[in-house]
Amino acid sequence: MFAAFDSPTRKKLGAAISCISIVGVGLSLVIPLLALRMEAAGIPARTNGLHIAVTGFATLVAAPLTPPLARALGIRPALFLAIGVSVAALVAFAFVDDFRLWLAIRAVFGLALTVVFVISEFWIGAAAPRGQRGVVMGLYATVLAIGYSVGPTLLTLVGIEGKAPFLFAAGLISAAALPVALAGREGSVAMEGGGRGKLRPIFVAAPLAMAAGLFYGAVETGMSGLLPVFGLRAGMTPAWATFQLTLWALGNVVFPIPVGLIADRVNKIKLLGLLSLLGLIGALSLPSLVENRLAYAVALFVWGGIISEFYPVGLALLGEKFQGAQLGAANAAFVMTYALGMMVGPPMLGLGLDLSARHGLFDALALLFAGYLALVAVFAGPFAPGRRRGAA
């Protein structure tokens, strides 16, 4: 696919996508690693979820600060700095056993990774040729999803004990600096615009699109950290408990393109409602399939792929509502609502898991899906005032 672009464009896109995808591999290894280590130490799942939520707070803080940082330092130096801080945080995890201190380390790690993600995604968007951004972002989403599916598999190979997995993850993330360095100055772009979007007016204008970001932030982050914990409490081996995340991520590799094609041809609000209904059905059904590993694996793969499309369909709905500079502010607000979801979701899902090891996690997820269905009914039902204004 890169062959269709000129050499400078290939260099820019290759550097940015390679950088963020390598970081994705490392991150998808670290999130379950931290959760499993805390579970092995007897930490309640709700506390585990609170630790995961710190990443959401870090994203909320770092996202609006990243554009001025990148403008001041330049894209590549800012990425090198963020990657370096991420690696230092992972080394700190390896040598610190106090879980209370892990909160502070996790906050620093989250701040640094937010900078990497914001800059890399800006770099990809800025480098993508006009008229081909959809294709480029689809490629990026697919490659990143592949990276997320690799991390949990690597964790099953290196294990969760001792310093080795943290140092292995540090090595992985440090490798993300290589494509940035190889791109050189000619392969870089200049950071423009940015800043904090105003949430309230955007949320009023497009409540269902913004709620999709909030909702998926809660689901994705909570599942990434707590699904392996659920597996252990359901009697799975550590390897199988972690492999669940690979199945979840592989669904996100397969589904973006077909769902995206559907989204371009149907009412996106109705599609989000359908996704939430399927998510609700899956959440209520999956716990009963755990004993049948093949059926559970297939169902988790399909279910994970379906509900992962909340994020891109929500963004597409946002793109219908806003244009130009307004769209830039709306995208910033969308990322911030995603971060809010990261803060709210994991503690809620962790509490559900503590209440019932067998189905509490999925019961809490079912409540989230039912909540989004209720929002669709309120804002897009036959008597919703937003219908007359074209609310999204």
Side-chain angles (χ1 to χ4, degrees), residues 138 141-149 246-258 301 304-305 308-309:
T142 300
V143 174
L144 182 62
I146 293 172
Y148 270 105
S149 71
T246 299
L247 293 169
W248 164 278
L250 285 174
N252 201 13
V253 174
V254 173
F255 281 80
I257 293 177
F301 166 79
S308 69
E309 300 316 300

Side-chain angles (χ1 to χ4, degrees), residues 122-299:
F122 172 83
W123 193 348
I124 294 166
R130 181 172 297 181
Q132 295 178 290
R133 286 196 174 111
V135 173
V136 170
M137 294 308 291
L139 174 65
Y140 157 61
T142 300
V143 174
L144 182 62
I146 293 172
Y148 270 105
S149 71
V150 170
T153 302
L154 292 176
L155 182 58
T156 63
L157 298 177
V158 299
I160 66 170
E161 301 296 333
K163 299 179 177 62
F166 290 112
L167 298 179
F168 180 77
L172 271 176
I173 289 183
S174 65
L178 181 59
V180 178
L182 292 176
R185 292 184 178 180
E186 67 277 9
S188 185
V189 294
M191 173 68 81
E192 299 173 355
R196 186 186 296 269
K198 294 181 179 179
L199 283 177
R200 188 175 183 279
I202 295 171
F203 211 108
V204 169
L208 292 174
M210 298 297 289
L214 179 75
F215 169 85
Y216 190 60
V219 172
E220 182 191 43
T221 311
M223 288 291 281
S224 296
L226 295 175
L227 188 59
V229 177
F230 160 78
L232 292 178
R233 295 189 181 185
M236 299 179 187
T237 64
W240 178 252
T242 304
F243 182 65
Q244 293 178 101
L245 291 177
T246 299
L247 293 169
W248 164 278
L250 285 174
N252 201 13
V253 174
V254 173
F255 281 80
I257 293 177
V259 173
L261 290 172
I262 294 171
D264 286 337
R265 291 165 172 78
V266 302
N267 182 293
K268 293 177 180 60
I269 293 176
K270 291 182 179 179
L271 178 57
L272 285 169
L274 176 61
L275 291 175
S276 57
L277 177 60
L278 294 174
L280 174 60
I281 294 171
L284 294 174
S285 303
L286 277 165
S288 65
L289 300 176
V290 168
E291 300 302 326
N292 185 334
R293 291 294 167 84
L294 178 59
Y296 177 75
V298 172

